[in-house]
Amino acid sequence: MRRLLTLAFNLSLSLAILSGCTAIQQENLTEQSQETVPYPESTPAEATETAPAAQPDPESDYAISLKGNLLSLHDSNDEVDLSALLGTPLTEKTYTLQKADTLTGSFMQELTFPGLEMQLFSPKQDGKSFWIMNMRITDAAYVTSKGLRVGMLLKDLKTVYPDIQPNNGNDADPENSTYEIGSQETYDYARYELKEGVIREIYLHHDIP
């Protein structure tokens, strides 16, 4: 009888221990399920868009705007497709400079388009790569990088260049004079011929020192 009571007691104790272990395991599982799992930080995607193309320099005083591009003094025919911008020239002439001091033997190319005359220069022993030396504009179809064109008024010129003065001096008739800006460092110049207060010609040119 005593043995039966001892067995019953041990059995009850074992069940109690097992029950307690089960409860502890369930509690641990509950705590683990409530644990916050850190979300991996997202890495910004690398930019795939191509950087915008470089835009023409609107600060240039010695260029004309053509089809969204600037055609400037010193531009080379190796870099700029003149035929794409201007079409086929009305006349084209290439010759060698003679009796031109240090420039003797250099090459000049003259191109004529409606309302636009151009001269391009190539050094001695070249004759293939030419850069723009001057542009003479007589047609309103061509506009400078500053927005000036043939047919505009003196007040328009003064708006762009408030300090510009006639080359003829202070006593000159302001509406029938030549106005010029330039850089003595680069030897680049822009000349505006006015008659009766209207721009009749724009001459962008480089003087080789």
Side-chain angles (χ1 to χ4, degrees):
M1 182 66 179
R2 182 178 295 177
R3 179 178 293 180
L4 291 174
L5 291 173
T6 300
L7 290 173
F9 175 77
N10 290 337
L11 182 59
S12 299
L13 181 60
S14 298
L15 290 173
I17 293 172
L18 290 173
S19 178
C21 291
T22 302
I24 291 173
Q25 290 176 352
Q26 289 178 347
E27 182 178 354
N28 290 338
L29 289 173
T30 302
E31 290 179 356
Q32 291 177 1
S33 64
Q34 293 176 350
E35 183 180 358
T36 302
V37 179
Y39 189 80
E41 295 182 0
S42 59
T43 303
E46 295 182 0
T48 56
E49 294 184 1
T50 305
Q55 297 300 311
D57 180 12
E59 300 302 320
S60 174
D61 293 290
Y62 316 106
I64 58 176
S65 178
L66 293 168
K67 300 178 181 179
N69 300 281
L70 289 187
L71 187 62
S72 307
L73 297 181
H74 306 282
D75 280 352
S76 169
N77 60 359
D78 292 335
E79 304 168 340
V80 179
D81 188 348
L82 293 178
S83 61
L85 294 175
L86 295 166
T88 303
L90 299 176
T91 63
E92 179 176 352
K93 180 173 67 173
T94 302
Y95 55 92
T96 305
L97 293 177
Q98 303 293 336
K99 297 180 181 180
D101 296 328
T102 59
L103 298 181
T104 298
S106 301
F107 300 88
M108 292 291 294
Q109 186 177 73
E110 295 182 355
L111 304 176
T112 303
F113 301 90
L116 173 65
E117 297 175 3
M118 302 176 63
Q119 283 189 324
L120 295 87
F121 179 85
S122 181
K124 302 174 185 178
Q125 300 177 348
D126 188 340
K128 295 181 180 179
S129 177
F130 287 81
W131 53 267
I132 299 174
M133 187 174 177
N134 61 61
M135 294 183 281
R136 188 184 304 274
I137 304 163
T138 56
D139 193 291
Y142 304 98
V143 58
T144 72
S145 54
K146 295 294 187 179
L148 294 170
R149 69 176 76 224
V150 168
M152 283 187 166
L153 305 177
L154 175 59
K155 66 177 183 178
D156 300 318
L157 180 63
K158 288 280 191 177
T159 298
V160 176
Y161 301 111
D163 299 326
I164 198 169
Q165 298 295 328
N167 287 356
N168 314 62
N170 295 330
D171 296 332
D173 178 358
E175 294 195 344
N176 293 279
S177 295
T178 300
Y179 294 78
E180 188 172 71
I181 62 164
S183 169
Q184 295 182 350
E185 295 181 356
T186 62
Y187 298 96
D188 295 330
Y189 301 89
R191 189 178 72 202
Y192 297 85
E193 298 274 0
L194 273 80
K195 291 183 179 180
E196 299 179 353
V198 179
I199 299 174
R200 303 296 185 182
E201 178 182 291
I202 300 173
Y203 184 49
L204 310 177
H205 62 103
H206 170 78
D207 292 345
I208 298 179

